């Protein structure tokens, strides 16, 4: 008998995981490029995380996406950690190497920048300060990416000021911290505005910081993609801003993992968006 080549397996782990759109996205790409592989959602409790990760490569898994609540804990388990993941303090993409080691990376920042460049082609990072709402894991990825592409100043505000101060301590003097009650002041002169909080997401409280000071022509991005056009984006659009929804970041951050696990470099286009939105 001829030995069949192993079918590559990948997936996403989180707790919970049923809400994830990653299986629809990777499933679409697998079909588009005719790859004989599979992408599987897996609900893994924190107590079972390391045991699961050590066993999956033995049954054909070549890598994983990682979502909440495991993105930080992964770094204590991985054998090799990329500089980006170490700087951000979290990983979202794992590669199971042939030598048995687990390689952890973070593609969130790259996905964030790729989404802005695709959706707002006129965006010039160096054109002025950026205003960032939130100081969680997504904010850390965004701040790292903004520094890398040359944004001159990053203004940041979080409902808990110490978390914002922690980002300034980690990322340096380009960051300027604002109290949450004064967060609206960050918008004056800001060329780029990003909401990294869950405010405005379906089932979450609304984003209530006044947006009156948003500059016409500013590029405004909400990482929330359910709903696709949040109140935050709708108000920014009314004030003359170029708005960018959060779905593109989800698509772009997924592309490097797909390429590493399955081979083809996937296109992020309107057909990809529709496949995920209709799932």
């Amino acid at each position: 008998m001829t030995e069949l080549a192993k079918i590559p397996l990948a997936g996403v782990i989180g707790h919970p995981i049923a809400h994830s759109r990653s299986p629809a996205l990777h499933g679409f790409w697998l079909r588009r490029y005719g790859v004989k592989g599979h992408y599987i959602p897996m609900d893994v409790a924190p107590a079972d995380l390391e045991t699961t990760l050590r066993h999956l490569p033995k049954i054909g898994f070549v890598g994983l996406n990682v979502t909440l609540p495991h993105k930080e804990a992964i770094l204590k388990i991985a054998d090799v950690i990329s500089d980006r993941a170490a700087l951000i303090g979290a990983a979202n993409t794992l590669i199971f190497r042939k030598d048995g080691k687990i390689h952890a990376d973070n593609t969130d920042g790259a996905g964030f920048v790729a989404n802005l460049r695709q959706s707002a082609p006129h965006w010039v990072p160096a054109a002025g300060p950026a205003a960032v709402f939130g100081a969680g894991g997504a904010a850390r990825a965004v701040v790292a990416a903004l520094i890398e592409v040359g944004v001159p100043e990053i203004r940041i505000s979080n409902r808990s000021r110490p978390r914002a101060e922690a980002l300034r301590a980690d990322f340096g003097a380009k960051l300027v911290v604002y109290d949450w009650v004064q967060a609206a002041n960050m918008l004056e002169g800001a060329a780029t505005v990003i909401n990294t909080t869950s405010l405005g997401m379906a089932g979450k409280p609304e984003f209530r910081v006044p947006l009156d000071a948003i500059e016409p022509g500013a590029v405004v991005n909400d990482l929330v993609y359910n709903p696709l056009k949040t109140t935050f984006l709708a108000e920014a659009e009314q004030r003359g801003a170029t708005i960018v929804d959060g779905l593109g970041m989800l698509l772009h951050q997924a592309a490097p993992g797909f390429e590493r696990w399955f081979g083809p470099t996937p296109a992020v286009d309107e057909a990809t968006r529709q496949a995920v939105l209709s799932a």
Side-chain angles (χ1 to χ4, degrees), residues 1-21:
M1 290 180 63
T2 302
E3 184 179 346
L4 293 175
K6 284 187 177 179
I7 294 175
L9 305 176
V12 56
I13 56 170
H15 185 66
I17 201 60
H19 66 285
S20 176
R21 299 199 184 191

Side-chain angles (χ1 to χ4, degrees), residues 115-116 119-120 219-224 228 233 242-246:
N115 184 32
L116 287 192
S119 303
V219 173
V220 179
N221 176 214
D222 198 333
L223 302 195
V224 171
L228 202 56
L233 289 180
T242 298
I243 61 169
V244 179
D245 66 53

Side-chain angles (χ1 to χ4, degrees), residues 25 32 45 59 83 110 120 134 158 168 171 178 232 249 263 270:
L25 170 58
R32 170 183 266 186
I59 58 173
D83 291 343
N158 190 60
R168 188 183 189 282
F171 289 99
Y178 286 66
F232 175 83
M249 178 174 168
E270 187 58 31

Side-chain angles (χ1 to χ4, degrees), residues 30 48 61 103 148 150 161 169 182 227 251 264 266:
L30 287 168
D48 300 324
F61 277 81
H103 182 277
E148 187 175 344
R161 183 180 173 110
Q182 297 178 325
L251 307 182

Side-chain angles (χ1 to χ4, degrees), residues 261-277:
W261 304 325
F262 298 117
T265 302
V268 176
D269 53 15
E270 187 58 31
T272 308
R273 282 178 63 90
Q274 292 307 316
V276 174
L277 288 172

Side-chain angles (χ1 to χ4, degrees), residues 42 56 58-59 102 126 136-137 145 191 193 197 201-202 206 213 244 254 261 278:
M42 290 171 281
L56 287 176
K58 299 176 183 178
I59 58 173
I102 298 173
V193 181
T197 76
M201 184 185 296
E206 277 296 338
V244 179
W261 304 325
S278 63

